Amino acid sequence: SSPGTFSLVKPLGSGDYAVGLFNFAEKEMRASISFWDIGVSSAAGQKLSFYDCFMHGDAGTFTDSFCVKLGAHDCSVYIARPA
């Protein structure tokens, strides 16, 4: 994550991950997580599919990292599962 942003990732018993991305800045920022940092290796061909818990919909399938724009003082929460 960049300065002003914060991310939390919690492995779940199902093998999924709970992901929270937070922007504490006074302006729109990009918040991201690197899959390597949570133990998911793209070299092994692993991808994660993200479900947006606030929008109640699929946010896409990603390799290596996940990045989202957040408004000032905004947050987003996802469930990421192996694709």
Side-chain angles (χ1 to χ4, degrees):
S1 287
S2 56
T5 66
F6 184 72
S7 60
L8 292 173
V9 179
K10 177 170 180 17
L12 303 174
S14 62
D16 297 345
Y17 300 89
V19 178
L21 299 169
F22 305 87
N23 177 8
F24 295 109
E26 298 289 332
K27 61 182 181 176
E28 182 180 90
M29 300 283 287
R30 290 188 178 273
S32 64
I33 60 164
S34 168
F35 295 175
W36 178 261
D37 291 338
I38 62 172
V40 176
S41 171
S42 63
Q46 293 179 304
K47 297 179 181 181
L48 293 178
S49 177
F50 282 74
Y51 176 83
D52 187 322
C53 295
F54 292 161
M55 300 300 289
H56 302 283
D58 181 37
T61 300
F62 301 87
T63 306
D64 296 325
S65 64
F66 177 72
C67 183
V68 53
K69 279 186 189 178
L70 294 173
H73 305 286
D74 199 4
C75 71
S76 56
V77 177
Y78 301 88
I79 297 295
R81 55 184 48 99

